Amino acid sequence: PWRRKQARVLGRPPMERYDHCCEYAKELQMLIIYGGRNHKLYESSGKIAFSDIHILNLKNLTWNEVNVPEKTSIERYLFNSFVFGSLS
């Protein structure tokens, strides 16, 4: 029989969001989350979308936020993305 078990995930997870992209990088065993929206975001910062990138390492269940210079980050939501080629 299947049983649900709560995983212990380390690091600081991204804020709750919707309309984001989530990609699975099989070679690296990582989930990559980019952009999206949160109804509290506009109220707190005036921004309509996130420009942050978060990675969940599936080997050790650890969240990490990618440090992207503010000038190069773009707020995005309701968009498509894909991973191609080698990531290693």
Side-chain angles (χ1 to χ4, degrees):
W2 289 89
R3 291 192 181 154
R4 183 176 168 182
K5 185 177 177 182
Q6 183 76 26
R8 288 188 187 185
V9 181
L10 303 173
R12 196 172 104 199
M15 286 182 65
E16 295 173 353
R17 60 190 66 208
Y18 57 93
D19 294 341
H20 60 282
C21 270
C22 181
E23 297 293 339
Y24 172 55
K26 184 177 180 180
E27 290 178 6
L28 302 174
Q29 290 293 296
M30 293 181 175
L31 285 179
I32 304 164
I33 295 181
Y34 177 49
R37 302 196 277 183
N38 177 313
H39 67 280
K40 296 176 186 174
L41 180 66
Y42 184 77
E43 295 169 2
S44 66
S45 69
K47 294 182 178 183
I48 61 166
F50 291 106
S51 60
D52 56 354
I53 300 171
H54 294 267
I55 296 175
L56 177 61
N57 183 323
L58 298 172
K59 293 177 190 170
N60 59 18
L61 293 179
T62 302
W63 280 108
N64 289 292
E65 184 172 0
V66 177
N67 185 11
V68 179
E70 196 165 316
K71 289 183 179 181
T72 60
S73 65
I74 299 172
E75 299 170 4
R76 294 203 184 267
Y77 68 95
L78 286 174
F79 63 103
N80 293 317
S81 68
F82 59 93
V83 174
F84 66 94
S86 177
L87 296 173
S88 53

